[in-house]
Amino acid sequence: MENFSPLTALIGGAMIGLASALLWIGNGRIAGISGIFGQLLPPARTIVWRLVFLGSMIGAGFLAAILIPGLGVGGPEGEQAQLIGSPLWIATAGLLVGLGTKIGNGCTSGHGVCGLARFSYRSFISVIIFFATAIIMVSTTGIV
Amino acid sequence: MQTTIEQRATSVPYLLTAGLSGTLFGAGLYISQMVDPLKVLRFLDFGAIPVGGWDPSLAFVIVAAIGIMLLINLWTKSWAAPLFDTEFHLPKFKQLDAPLILGAVLFGIGWGMSGICPGPAITLVAFMPENLMIFLGMMFVGSYAGTYVQHWLSTKELAHGHEGS
């Protein structure tokens, strides 16, 4: 439990919750990142706000790492974030994340946060399946 | 006055909301350290529980985020529309179906291989770790390929449904 960080986890989680709240109250949109990302090209009819949202995520990560340094990875004073595995492994993982979230209509944010919080049956099933699968993957590959 | 979704979704308050929401989201992913693939993998590593190497931090992220959205959903339950659009955009799917389950399995495999789900994948651009662009590029390809797989699955399902009825 050496890396256990419950306080920053709660604060960060609350910010993600507030972000989802804002997008729902203001724009009536579910803050599901795979959905926002996955509809960046036509025939999607609303693209600008998606680019604004995703660009703000990147900018905020960059700024937060400078303003609140030393939480872990990121920023000039943090450790360099690292992707695990060979380029082929990473490419396969990326492909599966993109494909799976599109077919299954959501990811950790859309199903995991927004879906569970409105008692969506589909989201509940989705979250159980993707968590269980990911846990089994980590156990079988033994990458950590 | 009638407006189109394109007009509403490019109004200043609408875009400001999107920007502020994205800002909170990205900062939250950094502060919680969900941007660290290794930390996410250590959370998913339930095999480490008996030996004391498990990092349960990310459960706190999910609980805090869901807690807030629960309250917001109770509060906005009776609202007819959000502030800057004429309707709430909810998914139209209601039933459990094969795409939902297949998609969750594929996503779970990819997440368990990498420790990266779509939110952190985007936010990590701020820190540019090696090979991130490979992940993001393939995530984009997978997402677009998924549109066709989804279409194919839904037509199969419809045909199957007719047989059954």
Side-chain angles (χ1 to χ4, degrees), chain B residues 2 8 13 20 24 40-41 43 47 59-61 72-73 76 87 91 98 110 113 126 128 132-133 141 147 151 153 162:
Chain B
Q2 288 286 89
R8 294 191 299 275
L20 193 56
L24 280 167
V40 174
L41 290 173
F43 170 68
F60 289 68
V61 180
I72 295 298
N73 283 336
T76 58
E87 59 174 336
M113 285 173 74
M128 261 315 164
L132 177 67
M133 282 303 144
V141 169
T147 312
H151 182 75
L153 282 170
H162 280 295

Side-chain angles (χ1 to χ4, degrees), chain A residues 2-141:
Chain A
E2 52 182 308
N3 298 302
F4 187 43
S5 54
L7 187 64
T8 46
L10 277 176
I11 295 170
M15 290 173 77
I16 293 168
L18 285 175
S20 310
L22 208 59
L23 202 65
W24 183 246
I25 292 173
N27 300 355
R29 294 278 179 179
I30 290 172
I33 310 303
S34 61
I36 294 175
F37 174 86
Q39 292 174 58
L40 282 174
L41 291 181
R45 294 169 68 194
T46 58
I47 293 163
V48 181
W49 77 268
R50 299 172 194 278
L51 291 173
V52 170
F53 184 96
L54 298 172
S56 302
M57 281 179 84
I58 297 168
F62 186 83
L63 274 179
I66 292 173
L67 296 174
I68 318 163
L71 293 182
V73 302
E77 291 174 51
E79 294 164 44
Q80 175 60 49
Q82 282 188 349
L83 273 62
I84 285 111
S86 66
L88 182 63
W89 182 267
I90 291 166
T92 310
L95 184 74
L96 289 171
V97 168
L99 187 62
T101 53
K102 173 64 95 177
I103 301 173
N105 275 93
C107 58
T108 335
S109 49
H111 280 311
V113 175
C114 300
L116 290 188
R118 60 183 173 84
F119 303 109
S120 157
Y121 181 50
R122 277 173 55 93
S123 292
F124 183 72
I125 298 295
S126 168
V127 169
I128 289 190
I129 293 175
F130 72 67
F131 257 102
T133 312
I135 288 165
I136 292 168
M137 271 312 283
V138 171
S139 296
T140 43
T141 57

Side-chain angles (χ1 to χ4, degrees), chain A residues 1 19 25-26 28 68 73 122, chain B residues 21 30 33 52 83-84 89 95:
Chain A
M1 304 262 285
I25 292 173
I68 318 163
V73 302
R122 277 173 55 93
Chain B
S21 174
Y30 164 74
Q33 282 292 300
L83 299 178
F84 310 124
H89 298 267
Q95 305 294 314

